[in-house]
Amino acid sequence: MTTVDFNNLDLDALRSEAEGKYKNLVVQGVVFRGPMRLSKDERKDFQRLLTERNAADGEVSDVVDFYRDMLTLVAEDKDAATDLLGQVGDDAAVLDTLVSLYFERTQAGEA
């Protein structure tokens, strides 16, 4: 952990603190960014996907599509994520595990 000199903050120190607090999930070189690392438009889409999924709770819906959309949205490199998700295929259990790990890893923590 970096020690912050509050009397002499610089941008590199702030970035380092943000990296420690707002983590990404990396799978086979594919970076899945946490919600705080997304652009404003991506955060809107992220929230929309979650809202739609919550509204569909209890209804018959394809969770695989939700997982793929969510993971592609948060991926730093969309093409690399598409390739990785292609390797996973429609294995809902693996996708569920990946999404669960994503939410665990990217939850804001102590810097």
Side-chain angles (χ1 to χ4, degrees), residues 1 4 26 31 39 72 89 93 108:
M1 181 168 69
V4 177
V26 182
V31 177
S39 71
T72 302

Side-chain angles (χ1 to χ4, degrees), residues 24-110:
N24 298 317
L25 175 67
V26 182
V27 179
Q28 286 188 201
V30 178
V31 177
F32 296 100
R33 301 165 296 154
M36 294 295 289
R37 294 297 190 166
L38 303 176
S39 71
K40 182 178 181 177
D41 289 339
E42 288 171 325
R43 282 192 302 276
K44 281 183 184 179
D45 287 342
F46 184 88
Q47 189 59 47
R48 178 188 53 78
L49 283 171
L50 289 176
T51 300
E52 287 173 2
R53 182 68 198 151
N54 289 337
D57 193 30
E59 295 179 21
V60 176
S61 63
D62 192 357
V63 71
V64 169
D65 291 338
F66 166 72
Y67 288 155
R68 287 178 164 281
D69 291 346
M70 179 65 70
L71 292 166
T72 302
L73 173 67
V74 301
E76 190 172 76
D77 181 336
K78 310 294 188 212
D79 291 332
T82 299
D83 289 344
L84 176 66
L85 295 173
Q87 293 175 45
V88 172
D90 289 339
D91 189 335
V94 172
L95 290 168
D96 180 72
T97 301
L98 182 53
V99 169
S100 294
L101 290 171
Y102 168 79
F103 281 110
E104 286 175 27
R105 173 72 177 170
T106 61
Q107 184 176 11
E110 294 294 318

